[in-house]
Amino acid sequence: MEEKKEKGNFWLAVASFIVNKRKAIWILFVIAIIFSVLSVNKVSVNQDITKYLPGDSETRIGLDRMEEQFFTYGSARVMVSNMTYEKAEELADLLADIHGVKEVVFDSSEDHCRGTDMLFDITFSGREDDAVSKEALDEVRKALSGYDTYVSTQVGAEEASSESLAKDMNLILALAVVIIVSVLLISTKAYLEIPVLLITFGVAAILNKGTNYWFGTISSVTDSIAVVLQLALAIDYAIILCDRFMEEHETMDAENAVKVALSKAIPEISSSSLTTISGMVAMMFMQFRLGYDMGIVLVKSIIFSLLSVFLLMPGVLLLFAKGIDASHHRCFVPNITFAGKLANRTKYIIPPLFVIFLAFAFIESSGCQYIYDTNSVESAKKSETKIAMEKIEETFGASNQMVVMVPRGNYEAEEAALRELEKLEYVDSVLGLANVSIDEDHLLTDKISPREFSELTDLDIEVVRLLYVAYAYHVEQYGPVFTGIDEYEVPIIDMFLFLYDQYQEGYVTLDEQMDSDLNELYDTLHDAQLQLQGEDYSRFVLSLSLPAEGEATYAAMDEIRSVCGRFYALRDITLVGNSTSNFDLMSSFASDNLVISILTALFVMIILFFTFQSAGLPVLLVLTIQGSIWINFTVPALSGQPIFFIAYLIVSAIQMGATIDYAIVISNRYLQLKREMPIKEAIVDTLNQSFPTIFTSGSILTCAGFLIGRIASDATVASIGTALGRGTLISIILVLFVLPQILLFGDWIIEKTALTINLSRYNTREMGGKMVVNGHVKGYIEGEIDAEIKGNFQGKMEAALETKWPGKQGSIEIEEGGRTE
């Protein structure tokens, strides 16, 4: 008894300190808010999810190599509809003259002209993220502003996507606030509770968003969705404290009510938050590091929500206390007595049926089709870029490019590999230095002698011989200098580039025409080298007539690797592209899915085990929520809709971590009430008392998810929102209409697996008069008591006596004049 009193005093002391120092705490929060607002623009947001692939994945390695060794020009596919071919030719010339446009490819073939639809393949002078490319793209859009135009490009796509998503999320947040206010108007007991809750949440959201820069860079998915998820996941904490305050304020003044309410709410809210945090922590163990990125930001969001509730909200409650007193209204959330009565009638029917349905849901959800390419994800709202891409692909077909990187230097192997790759039926085109023609007779990498080079360039043969000698010394091949330079053969591209270097240094003199020709040729060769030849690797660019993902595409990748393996060691061949990225994502998905499922369930089970001091109850609760996850993804499986793998992984963790709280609320209330009344009545009262909490939290998370799914133009974000909204709704239905029956049906399991003996009303006796007590007593003696007592008692007792426990024997002896019932 003394121990419990000390614990209660400790939390009351903490609460009193917080309330008494509330003005100082406000100052600290104001400083933190100012810091966070000023830090928001420091947050670096990454749009490329391939950045989160494991560091040892082929795609990640290949992308890093390409960035280091090759120059990739920005490009765009621009389709103009309702146009004649003659007008399109004029437009092609106009676009080619725009500053920053390097090349415009357009002709009368079906690759660029189909009916009245014309396709221009534009290459810019800079990379995708260079200013010159973005400015040129703006000029292209202006030039085509009067036409029916569709532009598909990655130039400036990150900024455009970020701006579009920011607008979407601002709208979602505004609508979410409207929904929250509407729900709180129904579920709260005073109108002025609502601003208290909104202030508390708003501060937590600002602090979380402003401190994201601590992590350097966060993903666009995390940046956009974190605020809404924080709102939906953590609003419960503020509601719990508010409800506690309203209860305590009925019998004491506002300041004392806040202190007592906070002392009771801190352990309750902290315990409740653990299951949510555990789901976020499970995501952080994913190989695909987007899970870590989102998990750590959401954990931080929950921590800031807890700090705002524990430190800031008590002061805000006191600030609004008089307004709260003056704005009381009745709670409009109805009782659901019918659900409790239904649970009693069906307690032997629903659990067996649920187990059968659970097995069906597990099998069906396991067969769900997953997709890994963001362009394959369907969303209710499509971005302008997505619409343009789909329109162009519908008319001219998809463009699936893949890069093959091989060690540099062996032009013969390159030529042979390119020749074999061209023969593959699904390869529309393949480009490499070794298959670029400079005339009808020569390829860029062909080796030619001094005389052949002299004839090709119209240079004097003696000058060319000297040039070849200089080249031999330059590459440290001295043999030909002594055995005869006329037989020495050098690749055309290498000799042209060497000639240009010697000309620039003044060692070779050319006439005006040759000077012009050499400079023009150098520009072409240098561009080709920048794009296709790095310091250590050469690059082949393949255009495939295959989708970005699927078994046929992945089989083709194996064949491409096998073909190149005839000329290079397999370990030296690297494939890069959307298809390889999708394959790597698919490869990491299996292990990540297993990690998420096991860790989330394990973390939650451990927390529930210590919360309920029972081995059986955690299993029943986790099984219910895990069942809701399987049912959630059975819906798209049955309808034939593929699921974006990120949505499955993230929603699985969030749904388990967040909605297990609903099951905890019902279980806690049921365990308390069944000690005071028969379990049939306990389950009815449990649902009536729990429904307001579940209604408030569940409706907010459900609506937030569906809003994100309907409004977000980013397919990744939208897919997460839809799955989360649907999953939360299913969880609510299960905890209200299936979990009660499971608790009734499995009551014996809960009792048998409890670590402590549950003292129910059936071994409770009402006694009065003078008696000798020797045992562990739990009940009421002019107030509640739960202690080991040995001695005399005079008065009235309604309590349960634990008559046996290790090494002791309990008893109550009623003396003369006493009574028992």
Side-chain angles (χ1 to χ4, degrees):
M1 186 174 181
E2 278 302 310
E3 184 182 339
K4 294 196 173 193
K5 182 178 177 182
E6 287 173 11
K7 287 184 178 178
N9 286 340
F10 170 76
W11 289 119
L12 188 58
V14 171
S16 299
F17 176 82
I18 292 171
V19 173
N20 293 337
K21 302 296 183 183
R22 59 186 179 275
K23 291 183 180 178
I25 291 172
W26 285 349
I27 293 172
L28 293 176
F29 267 94
V30 168
I31 294 171
I33 290 169
I34 293 172
F35 170 81
S36 297
V37 169
L38 295 176
S39 300
V40 167
N41 291 331
K42 294 181 182 179
V43 180
S44 177
V45 179
N46 173 45
Q47 301 280 343
D48 183 7
I49 67 171
T50 62
K51 295 287 186 183
Y52 299 98
L53 282 166
D56 58 353
S57 65
E58 184 176 27
T59 300
R60 186 70 264 145
I61 293 171
L63 289 172
D64 290 342
R65 283 179 182 171
M66 285 213 307
E67 190 172 342
E68 291 171 3
Q69 304 218 359
F70 300 97
F71 190 97
T72 303
Y73 290 103
S75 62
R77 300 179 84 198
V78 179
M79 186 177 82
V80 181
S81 298
N82 304 314
M83 175 171 287
T84 64
Y85 177 75
E86 290 74 18
K87 182 64 178 176
E89 283 187 310
E90 295 176 12
L91 270 183
D93 293 336
L94 176 65
L95 296 176
D97 292 335
I98 292 175
H99 174 70
V101 172
K102 183 176 181 62
E103 182 183 24
V104 177
V105 177
F106 175 74
D107 54 41
S108 59
S109 69
E110 286 195 353
D111 290 338
H112 296 96
C113 179
R114 295 195 178 185
T116 59
D117 294 319
M118 309 295 163
L119 181 66
F120 305 97
D121 286 319
I122 300 176
T123 303
F124 298 104
S125 301
R127 292 184 173 91
E128 291 176 355
D129 55 352
D130 288 347
V132 64
S133 299
K134 296 174 184 177
E135 292 168 2
L137 179 62
D138 290 339
E139 292 301 316
V140 168
R141 292 184 188 276
K142 289 179 183 177
L144 300 174
S145 59
Y147 301 94
D148 187 6
T149 307
Y150 301 90
V151 180
S152 177
T153 181
Q154 290 301 308
V155 174
E158 289 191 8
E159 291 88 342
S161 176
S162 180
E163 291 175 6
S164 175
L165 187 55
K167 291 179 182 178
D168 293 342
M169 297 312 295
N170 287 336
L171 174 59
I172 290 168
L173 189 58
L175 291 175
V177 170
V178 171
I179 290 170
I180 288 173
V181 171
S182 302
V183 171
L184 294 177
L185 282 172
I186 297 172
S187 61
T188 55
K189 297 176 182 177
Y191 294 116
L192 264 295
E193 287 183 72
I194 296 174
V196 173
L197 298 173
L198 293 180
I199 290 170
T200 303
F201 169 74
V203 169
I206 291 170
L207 295 180
N208 188 54
K209 193 168 182 65
T211 53
N212 282 337
Y213 83 95
W214 291 351
F215 305 125
T217 300
I218 65 171
S219 72
S220 59
V221 176
T222 303
D223 182 61
S224 60
I225 208 171
V227 173
V228 179
L229 286 184
Q230 180 184 6
L231 181 154
L233 293 172
I235 195 73
D236 277 5
Y237 311 147
I239 293 173
I240 289 172
L241 178 57
C242 209
D243 287 346
R244 283 284 187 185
F245 168 74
M246 297 295 283
E247 291 174 11
E248 302 297 337
H249 193 31
E250 292 177 2
T251 57
M252 58 183 73
D253 63 86
E255 184 165 335
N256 284 319
V258 169
K259 291 177 181 178
V260 174
L262 184 59
S263 70
K264 294 179 179 179
I266 289 176
E268 181 182 351
I269 293 171
S270 300
S271 175
S272 173
S273 68
L274 286 177
T275 54
T276 305
I277 290 174
S278 68
M280 308 304 108
V281 171
M283 286 197 296
M284 295 167 61
F285 286 88
M286 288 168 53
Q287 288 186 65
F288 184 51
R289 302 309 287 167
L290 181 63
Y292 178 88
D293 180 82
M294 180 169 283
I296 196 168
V297 171
L298 289 178
V299 167
K300 180 165 65 70
S301 75
I302 293 170
I303 291 172
F304 276 122
S305 296
L306 292 173
L307 291 175
S308 296
V309 170
F310 294 157
L311 301 179
L312 177 67
M313 189 174 172
V316 179
L317 276 171
L318 286 177
L319 195 64
F320 282 82
K322 291 183 179 179
I324 290 172
D325 291 341
S327 61
H328 273 271
H329 66 83
R330 71 182 181 87
C331 178
F332 297 103
V333 179
N335 286 335
I336 54 169
T337 303
F338 75 93
K341 292 181 178 179
L342 178 66
N344 282 314
R345 292 194 194 102
T346 60
K347 64 182 178 181
Y348 297 117
I349 301 172
I350 294 297
L353 290 178
F354 179 64
V355 170
I356 295 171
F357 187 70
L358 212 57
F360 168 78
F362 171 73
I363 294 170
E364 285 297 322
S365 62
S366 299
C368 195
Q369 180 185 352
Y370 299 102
I371 52 178
Y372 305 90
D373 189 80
T374 52
N375 293 323
S376 302
V377 182
E378 293 293 332
S379 55
K381 180 182 177 182
K382 295 179 181 179
S383 64
E384 182 181 340
T385 301
K386 182 74 176 291
I387 293 171
M389 183 192 71
E390 289 181 352
K391 187 70 175 176
I392 293 172
E393 289 184 353
E394 180 184 331
T395 307
F396 290 95
S399 176
N400 183 12
Q401 283 197 337
M402 183 179 295
V403 165
V404 181
M405 283 186 288
V406 296
R408 168 184 171 164
N410 189 339
Y411 290 135
E412 289 84 358
E414 285 188 34
E415 183 179 350
L418 289 167
R419 194 181 302 115
E420 292 300 313
L421 290 173
E422 287 175 340
K423 295 177 182 178
L424 299 176
E425 59 180 358
Y426 47 79
V427 174
D428 292 332
S429 64
V430 57
L431 176 65
L433 281 179
N435 68 351
V436 176
S437 300
I438 60 172
D439 59 28
E440 294 181 359
D441 300 318
H442 298 96
L443 295 173
L444 201 55
T445 57
D446 283 349
K447 290 184 176 181
I448 58 176
S449 64
R451 182 162 299 280
E452 290 172 315
F453 189 79
S454 172
E455 294 171 355
L456 186 66
T457 59
D458 287 334
L459 284 174
D460 182 78
I461 183 62
E462 295 303 325
V463 173
V464 172
R465 284 175 178 150
L466 290 174
L467 189 65
Y468 267 63
V469 170
Y471 179 85
Y473 276 107
H474 177 72
V475 297
E476 299 180 354
Q477 294 179 354
Y478 307 114
V481 176
F482 302 104
T483 59
I485 200 68
D486 286 334
E487 305 301 320
Y488 184 38
E489 294 185 335
V490 178
I492 294 174
I493 182 173
D494 292 348
M495 186 50 67
F496 263 115
L497 293 175
F498 183 73
L499 170 61
Y500 182 82
D501 289 340
Q502 298 304 301
Y503 172 65
Q504 290 294 105
E505 293 177 13
Y507 298 125
V508 177
T509 303
L510 302 175
D511 59 33
E512 185 176 340
Q513 181 61 44
M514 188 60 188
D515 173 81
S516 175
D517 291 344
L518 181 60
N519 278 289
E520 183 178 340
L521 181 59
Y522 172 79
D523 290 339
T524 302
L525 295 180
H526 185 61
D527 277 349
Q529 188 179 41
L530 284 176
Q531 296 179 75
L532 300 173
Q533 189 178 65
E535 185 176 343
D536 303 303
Y537 292 90
S538 289
R539 177 165 70 166
F540 307 154
V541 181
L542 283 64
S543 180
L544 310 180
S545 58
L546 292 170
E549 59 183 317
E551 292 303 320
T553 303
Y554 301 146
M557 288 166 49
D558 289 338
E559 187 174 14
I560 289 170
R561 192 177 282 107
S562 176
V563 167
C564 295
R566 300 174 197 167
F567 312 99
Y568 301 93
L570 285 173
R571 66 177 180 276
D572 295 329
I573 301 168
T574 307
L575 272 58
V576 185
N578 287 339
S579 295
T580 59
S581 172
N582 296 334
F583 181 80
D584 286 337
L585 291 172
M586 182 184 70
S587 300
S588 68
F589 171 71
S591 60
D592 283 344
N593 187 22
L594 188 63
V595 166
I596 286 282
S597 301
I598 292 176
L599 288 183
T600 306
L602 182 62
F603 290 158
V604 170
M605 290 270 286
I606 292 172
I607 293 167
L608 294 182
F609 176 78
F610 287 104
T611 299
F612 291 108
Q613 296 288 293
S614 169
L617 185 56
V619 174
L620 297 178
L621 300 189
V622 168
L623 192 62
T624 303
I625 300 303
Q626 184 61 58
S628 72
I629 295 172
W630 290 335
I631 295 169
N632 183 13
F633 293 103
T634 295
V635 174
L638 292 176
S639 61
Q641 296 177 342
I643 289 290
F644 193 36
F645 81 106
I646 293 177
Y648 183 88
L649 292 173
I650 291 176
V651 171
S652 294
I654 293 177
Q655 189 177 343
M656 172 63 80
T659 62
I660 195 72
D661 277 355
Y662 309 154
I664 293 172
V665 168
I666 287 179
S667 301
N668 254 330
R669 198 62 57 95
Y670 171 71
L671 292 178
Q672 292 170 8
L673 291 177
K674 78 169 189 169
R675 297 177 183 177
E676 304 168 10
M677 60 186 72
I679 60 174
K680 287 186 177 182
E681 297 174 18
I683 202 67
V684 174
D685 281 5
T686 292
L687 291 176
N688 283 333
Q689 293 177 27
S690 303
F691 183 60
T693 301
I694 296 171
F695 167 78
T696 305
S697 174
S699 59
I700 290 172
L701 187 54
T702 300
C703 292
F706 283 131
L707 276 175
I708 293 170
R710 295 296 301 176
I711 296 175
S713 55
D714 184 284
T716 303
V717 174
S719 63
I720 292 172
T722 300
L724 183 59
R726 184 178 62 235
T728 305
L729 182 59
I730 292 170
S731 294
I732 293 171
I733 293 172
L734 289 189
V735 298
L736 291 177
F737 299 103
V738 176
L739 180 61
Q741 287 89 329
I742 292 175
L743 292 175
L744 292 172
F745 183 83
D747 190 74
W748 63 275
I749 298 176
I750 298 171
E751 294 294 334
K752 292 289 185 183
T753 59
L755 300 187
T756 58
I757 297 175
N758 292 316
L759 305 175
S760 71
R761 73 183 304 273
Y762 299 110
N763 61 349
T764 298
R765 293 180 286 170
E766 185 174 324
M767 295 152 282
K770 189 176 181 181
M771 62 196 78
V772 177
V773 180
N774 180 14
H776 184 94
V777 179
K778 183 173 183 180
Y780 290 89
I781 309 174
E782 296 180 349
E784 186 175 357
I785 184 170
D786 182 358
E788 292 182 13
I789 298 176
K790 185 174 182 180
N792 297 326
F793 169 71
Q794 174 73 46
K796 182 180 179 182
M797 176 188 298
E798 182 179 356
L801 175 68
E802 185 178 324
T803 57
K804 291 184 180 179
W805 70 98
K808 296 183 180 181
Q809 180 72 30
S811 67
I812 295 181
E813 297 178 9
I814 309 297
E815 297 191 356
E816 185 177 352
R819 63 182 175 81
T820 180
E821 296 179 6

